[in-house]
Amino acid sequence: MLTSILYALAGGALIGLAASALLLFSGRIAGISGIVGGLLAPQRGDTSWRATFVAGLLVGGLALVAIYPQSIQSPNGRPLIVVAVAGALVGYGTRLGNGCTSGHGVCGLTRFSRRSLAATVSFMVTGFITATLYALLGGGA
Amino acid sequence: MRHHGAVFFSGLLFALGLGLSGMTDANKVIAFLNLAGDWDPSLAFVMVGAIVVHFVLFRFILRRTSPLFNENFLVPNKSEITSRLVIGGGLFGVGWGLGGFCPGPGIVSGVSLSSHALVFIVAMVAGMVTFQLVDRATARSQSRSMVTDS
C-alpha cells in the first residue's frame, strides 16, 4: 500500500509538472477532455497544438508499454458493452460539464475554482456510487 | 516549431505521470472507486501530488505577461455553478465508475491496443460528437424561439 501511495504521489507530481509545462509554454490548461473536444470541433489556428499534445500522450503511452508495461491494465470483468456505455458517458459528460479529472480535478482545484470543485465533487460521488453498486450487484470487482 | 515541441513534451510527461501514478490501471481505478470491496485509497494521492506541484508552479507562471511560446494565457475565469456543470460531471463519474477509464488514461491505454481501451476511446469520441450535435441543435432552436418571442 505504501509503495502504491508513493507511486501515486510521484506520478501525480509528474502530472502537475506536465500541466505547469503546458501553461508555461502554451498558456493553456491541461484538461484532456477539453483538448480532445476542441479537436472534434476544429477552429482555425487552435487545432495543431491539441493534436501535438495528444501525440505526446500517445508516445508517452508507447514509452510506458516499453518500460513499464504492467502500468496499463484493462478492467477485469467488464464486458465490452459496459465499457462502450462508459466511454459514451465519459465523452458526453465531460463536454457537458466542461472538464474531467485533469481539467477540473487538478488544474481547476489548484486555482480554487468553485466550478471545478462542484464538478469534481459531482464526478467523484457518482464514480464511487457507480463502481460500488456495480460490484454489489454482482458485476465483479 | 519550438512551441509544438514543448507541447509534445508536456503531453509525453503527462502520460508518464498517469502511468507511474496508477491511473492507467483500470483495475486500480475501480478498486479505488469501489467502496464495497478491498478498498485501495492510494489513487487519492495522485490528486495530492499533482495539485501540490501545480499549485507551487502555476502562480509563478501566471506572473508572466505571456507564455513562452504563445501569445496569451487562456485560463477559465467563470465562477457560476450551473446544472450543466454538475450533471455533466455526474454523467462523467458514472462512466468512470463503470469502465475505470477517464479521458487521459483512456487515450494513453489505447496504445496497448487492448479491445477495452479501443472501445472506450471510440465510444468517448462518439459521446463528445453527440454532445456537440445536441448542443448546436439546442442553441439553434433557442435562438429561433427568441426570434419568434420578439
Side-chain angles (χ1 to χ4, degrees), chain B residues 6-132:
Chain B
V7 169
F8 180 83
F9 166 79
S10 309
L12 185 109
L13 202 60
F14 201 100
L16 294 179
L18 288 174
L20 185 64
S21 69
M23 290 292 292
T24 51
D25 179 344
N27 294 311
K28 204 170 173 57
V29 172
I30 288 168
F32 168 58
L33 293 175
N34 170 18
L35 301 172
D38 193 3
W39 190 47
D40 175 359
S42 57
L43 288 184
F45 291 88
V46 180
M47 214 177 243
V48 175
I51 289 178
V52 167
V53 169
H54 195 44
F55 183 77
V56 171
L57 296 176
F58 97 102
R59 48 194 53 233
F60 288 108
I61 296 166
L62 289 183
R63 271 186 211 161
R64 302 175 52 89
T65 46
S66 64
L68 276 177
F69 305 125
N70 208 352
E71 285 159 17
N72 59 341
F73 287 107
L74 221 63
V75 178
N77 56 4
K78 284 192 284 186
S79 63
E80 193 194 355
I81 295 170
T82 59
S83 55
R84 279 170 71 116
L85 176 83
V86 176
I87 293 168
L91 291 175
F92 159 45
V94 172
W96 192 31
L98 273 182
F101 293 112
C102 54
I107 291 169
V108 171
S109 300
V111 300
S112 71
L113 301 182
S114 86
S115 44
H116 282 83
L118 294 177
V119 165
F120 175 83
I121 292 173
V122 170
M124 177 177 79
V125 168
M128 288 179 167
V129 171
T130 307
F131 168 77
Q132 279 168 13

Side-chain angles (χ1 to χ4, degrees), chain A residues 54-122:
Chain A
V54 173
L57 283 180
L58 294 174
V59 172
L62 289 173
L64 285 171
V65 169
I67 58 181
Y68 185 27
Q70 65 272 35
S71 64
I72 299 181
Q73 301 289 338
S74 292
N76 293 331
R78 253 48 175 189
L80 283 177
I81 180 70
V82 171
V83 175
V85 173
L89 287 168
V90 168
Y92 194 92
T94 52
R95 296 309 289 141
L96 182 66
N98 279 100
C100 59
T101 11
S102 50
H104 283 313
V106 175
C107 299
L109 289 190
T110 299
R111 295 193 314 273
F112 297 120
S113 154
R114 290 174 64 226
R115 277 172 60 82
S116 288
L117 180 63
T120 304
V121 169
S122 185

Side-chain angles (χ1 to χ4, degrees), chain A residues 3-57:
Chain A
T3 325
S4 245
I5 291 175
L6 291 176
Y7 273 80
L9 278 171
L14 275 187
I15 293 169
L17 197 62
S20 305
L22 186 67
L23 189 66
L24 173 67
F25 297 139
S26 205
R28 298 297 181 264
I29 293 296
I32 309 301
S33 60
I35 291 175
V36 175
L39 272 180
L40 301 171
Q43 290 182 343
R44 252 179 108 95
D46 190 48
T47 303
S48 67
W49 77 270
R50 297 171 185 273
T52 307
F53 187 86
V54 173
L57 283 180

